Amino acid sequence: MDVSSYVLLSQEQALRRRLDVAANNLANMNTVGFKREAPVFREFVKQGETTVTPDAKKTSFVLDYGAVHDASSGGFQVTENPLDVMIEGPGYLSVEAPGGGTAYTRAGYIKIAQSGELVTAGGQKILGEGGQPITVPPESAGRLSISPDGSVMGVDGPLGRIAVTVFDEKNMDPRGDGMFNGTGGRELTAAETSLKTGGVEGSNVNAITETTDMVEILRAYQTSMNLNESMSDLRKKAIDRLGRVG
């Protein structure tokens, strides 16, 4: 293939990446706490081996640079479960990750496990201040409440406080299971924490936006295919003319 074919191929790979991200966003539009992702690309300029002038024969390629997630909040979805929470503002709930370590999530489904510990819908332990699980005595199980500052209140007083940690969003890495890995976070104090109970945070995906983006991707891919066919026709005509000259 010549250089023009490689340039078009890099563009088509970028379009496929955009399509994969848009499709994943649409698939998770009803996933609690899901954050919309957007691909990031960068331009790679290659200087030709032989040039007439220093600025001549520069070729521009598209490179996949990664993806970022939209940290804006989703809408409040009422569940009428007093233990379910939505974080109002920035921050993530700390949970015990599968296999050990700490993961972070915006999905605020909370229940009491048979062991008496607060866990997520997936069974991961909710971590309180200092990274410790929160255990609920049997007598408090049916009369538990969560204060706006994250304090878990039993019949005899507070049992702990749900930890909310904030990060620089560039340090957040999606795990693919509704949770994130994060580095360099700061645990918020009670005065800085704001939880809304009785519901959870919905996805921040806008179906119309994602569908429109998918249509634009399809049209761009069709344009790229047409260019590829036009270049192929030009090559055939050039070869045919060279054959006649010979």
Side-chain angles (χ1 to χ4, degrees):
M1 291 190 295
D2 59 17
V3 173
S4 58
S5 296
Y6 284 115
V7 172
L8 283 177
L9 180 59
S10 73
Q11 183 201 24
E12 289 165 7
Q13 289 177 325
L15 291 172
R16 178 173 179 175
R17 170 69 168 153
R18 285 181 59 193
L19 184 62
D20 289 343
V21 171
N24 184 63
N25 288 340
L26 275 176
N28 287 281
M29 64 178 296
N30 293 319
T31 301
V32 172
F34 180 81
K35 296 302 179 184
R36 176 184 180 273
E37 289 188 313
V40 178
F41 301 103
R42 66 182 300 180
E43 181 184 26
F44 174 73
V45 179
K46 180 178 176 61
Q47 183 74 40
E49 295 180 358
T50 58
T51 60
V52 178
T53 63
D55 294 330
K57 297 186 178 179
K58 287 184 177 180
T59 305
S60 178
F61 297 89
V62 181
L63 295 182
D64 184 358
Y65 197 61
V68 295
H69 64 274
D70 180 0
S72 63
S73 298
F76 183 70
Q77 296 181 355
V78 177
T79 63
E80 298 183 354
N81 176 6
L83 298 185
D84 289 342
V85 298
M86 171 182 170
I87 300 173
E88 294 185 297
Y92 295 83
L93 301 177
S94 303
V95 302
E96 188 176 275
T102 303
Y104 304 91
T105 183
R106 295 278 296 192
Y109 285 126
I110 298 178
K111 61 182 181 180
I112 304 174
Q114 292 183 349
S115 62
E117 295 171 319
L118 294 184
V119 298
T120 66
Q124 289 81 34
K125 296 178 183 178
I126 298 288
L127 301 181
E129 293 176 306
Q132 299 300 314
I134 299 174
T135 303
V136 179
E139 62 272 16
S140 296
R143 293 183 287 176
L144 205 64
S145 64
I146 299 176
S147 302
D149 67 357
S151 297
V152 180
M153 307 299 294
V155 293
D156 296 323
L159 304 173
R161 193 175 72 84
I162 296 174
V164 177
T165 307
V166 293
F167 296 87
D168 185 331
E169 292 299 330
K170 67 182 181 181
N171 295 330
M172 301 299 292
D173 180 29
R175 295 170 54 97
D177 52 4
M179 295 186 288
F180 295 82
N181 293 322
T183 57
R186 180 179 68 87
E187 192 174 295
L188 297 180
T189 64
E192 296 174 304
T193 303
S194 180
L195 299 181
K196 186 176 182 178
T197 59
V200 293
E201 178 185 2
S203 166
N204 65 356
V205 173
N206 185 305
I208 296 176
T209 300
E210 300 302 327
T211 303
T212 302
D213 193 29
M214 293 180 76
V215 172
E216 292 178 353
I217 294 168
L218 176 60
R219 289 176 178 172
Y221 186 79
Q222 289 172 336
T223 300
S224 180
M225 292 297 293
N226 291 335
L227 285 172
N228 193 32
E229 290 176 2
S230 297
M231 288 189 300
S232 179
D233 290 339
L234 287 173
R235 293 189 197 101
K236 290 178 181 178
K237 291 178 181 179
I239 292 171
D240 183 59
R241 289 179 181 178
L242 286 173
R244 291 178 182 179
V245 171

